[in-house]
Amino acid sequence: MRILAFDIGGTFIKYAICDENFNLSDKNKVPTEAEKGGQALIEKIIDIILSYDDIDRVAISTAGQVDSENGIVVYSTDNIPYYTGMMVKKLIENKTKIPTFVENDVNAAALGEAKFGAAKGENDFICLTYGTGIGGAIFLNGKLYKGSSSSAAELGHMIVHAGGRQCTCGGEGCYECYASAKALISNVNKVSDKPLDAFQIFEKENIEKPEIRSEVDKWIDEIIIGLINIIYTFNPPLIVLGGGIMNEDYIIDLIDRKIYSKLMDNFKNVNIVRSKSGNDAALLGVAYEAAKLK
């Protein structure tokens, strides 16, 4: 079986071929061009699918709240305009005639971690990814908890600062306004003498500058605030942190050094780890589910 798997993010669309043993090959990425809106995005996906031969299934991991049973984006912020209500599964299947599975990106990453990565063998865990925004997924009793309207675990929109920064969701003070990779870049570039992306920030010549280190440390404190709220709400045995920025050892090490002293004793048994599948987690998660389609 050849599955063409996509991971639609706010900046890039990543895609790869997945075989029956869930090995990924032919990895590619193209700009999302999210500002063009949902219709243009799906047309881009369809064009990519039609450029391949002998595809048996299509698997879509996407930003937004997703009804995975029907393959519909039930809600999306303005990060991708006019995406809410998009019938992704129907549009792709009508054009390509290939069975298609669609899931929220962080739910997909959680599935990938549960089957192949840092949460393999775990029945209960929380997954968060840090990028343009912050996404969450809740894995309970060996399966995703989706909520009453397929919208559970919008952890990036927990309110952590009352009356705080304006968020794309329409609210104020949301977790992702302070603890996303996008927020870090914005904060650092206010004090840096040159523009830096998320990965350049952690290069030795930059992270050792006191003004940059200070902004990074304050940003990690914001991450910890959200994690503590999640730990006190769910009392999970495991939290998996994903997103490319979490590959930076400095972040994980500082979280580990600081968070446990802030927790009540009976919550300190939580294990906080980085994703093992990395940027492949969502691709693997949706490919695994797409393989079940008839």
Side-chain angles (χ1 to χ4, degrees):
M1 178 178 287
R2 274 165 54 91
I3 302 167
L4 182 55
F6 292 85
D7 182 15
I8 301 171
T11 307
F12 288 104
I13 301 169
K14 300 164 190 167
Y15 58 100
I17 295 291
C18 184
D19 65 20
E20 64 275 9
N21 295 315
F22 301 101
N23 297 309
L24 297 176
S25 61
D26 193 24
K27 295 181 184 179
N28 292 280
K29 69 177 182 179
V30 295
T32 306
E33 298 179 300
E35 70 280 359
K36 293 184 178 180
Q39 186 65 42
L41 171 57
I42 297 306
E43 288 172 0
K44 179 180 286 195
I45 296 290
I46 290 169
D47 287 343
I48 293 170
I49 296 168
L50 294 175
S51 72
Y52 283 82
D53 296 321
D54 302 321
I55 298 299
D56 300 300
R57 301 287 186 274
V58 171
I60 306 285
S61 157
T62 181
Q65 299 167 13
V66 176
D67 170 0
S68 58
E69 185 174 340
N70 296 299
I72 299 171
V73 177
V74 295
Y75 177 77
S76 174
T77 68
D78 287 341
N79 287 337
I80 305 177
Y82 313 114
Y83 203 34
T84 297
M86 189 68 63
M87 295 183 287
V88 178
K89 175 181 171 70
K90 182 178 180 180
L91 289 167
I92 291 173
E93 289 183 344
N94 284 349
K95 286 284 189 178
T96 68
K97 311 304 180 189
I98 301 171
T100 299
F101 176 78
V102 186
E103 181 57 277
N104 163 268
D105 51 1
V106 191
N107 284 346
L111 287 166
E113 294 295 339
K115 300 300 179 184
F116 308 104
K120 189 173 182 179
E122 296 284 344
N123 283 324
D124 303 297
F125 68 94
I126 306 290
C127 182
L128 293 108
T129 60
Y130 295 78
T132 306
I134 296 174
I138 303 166
F139 212 78
L140 291 177
N141 301 317
K143 60 184 181 181
L144 284 169
Y145 175 72
K146 304 293 286 289
S148 63
S149 60
S150 302
S151 304
E154 281 290 340
L155 302 178
H157 298 288
M158 295 185 297
I159 306 301
V160 293
H161 290 265
R165 297 172 185 168
Q166 186 71 41
C167 183
T168 56
C169 74
E172 295 177 340
C174 293
Y175 185 39
E176 69 177 40
C177 294
Y178 297 86
S180 64
K182 181 179 179 181
L184 172 65
I185 294 166
S186 176
N187 293 344
V188 166
N189 282 330
K190 289 175 183 175
V191 300
S192 174
D193 56 7
K194 60 183 177 182
L196 299 172
D197 65 27
F199 302 103
Q200 290 169 334
I201 288 168
F202 292 91
E203 292 174 355
K204 192 173 189 300
E205 65 183 58
N206 297 317
I207 191 66
E208 290 187 347
K209 294 178 179 177
E211 65 275 17
I212 291 178
R213 175 74 67 93
S214 174
E215 291 299 327
V216 170
D217 288 356
K218 286 188 285 187
W219 172 74
I220 292 172
D221 285 341
E222 295 287 353
I223 291 176
I224 289 171
I225 288 169
L227 291 177
I228 289 172
N229 287 335
I230 291 163
I231 291 165
Y232 282 158
T233 302
F234 294 101
N235 191 21
L238 176 68
I239 297 177
V240 179
L241 305 182
I245 199 166
M246 287 299 163
N247 290 324
E248 300 293 340
D249 290 337
Y250 184 85
I251 301 170
I252 297 294
D253 290 346
L254 193 55
I255 290 172
D256 194 60
R257 289 204 310 272
K258 295 180 79 169
I259 194 168
Y260 292 101
S261 66
K262 300 176 184 295
L263 292 171
M264 289 187 282
D265 287 347
N266 54 328
F267 289 87
K268 291 182 179 182
N269 63 340
V270 62
N271 191 18
I272 301 171
V273 301
R274 70 160 59 101
S275 162
K276 279 189 180 176
S277 300
N279 287 332
D280 292 340
L283 293 171
L284 289 167
V286 284
Y288 182 84
E289 295 298 316
K292 300 176 184 178
L293 295 175
K294 297 180 181 179

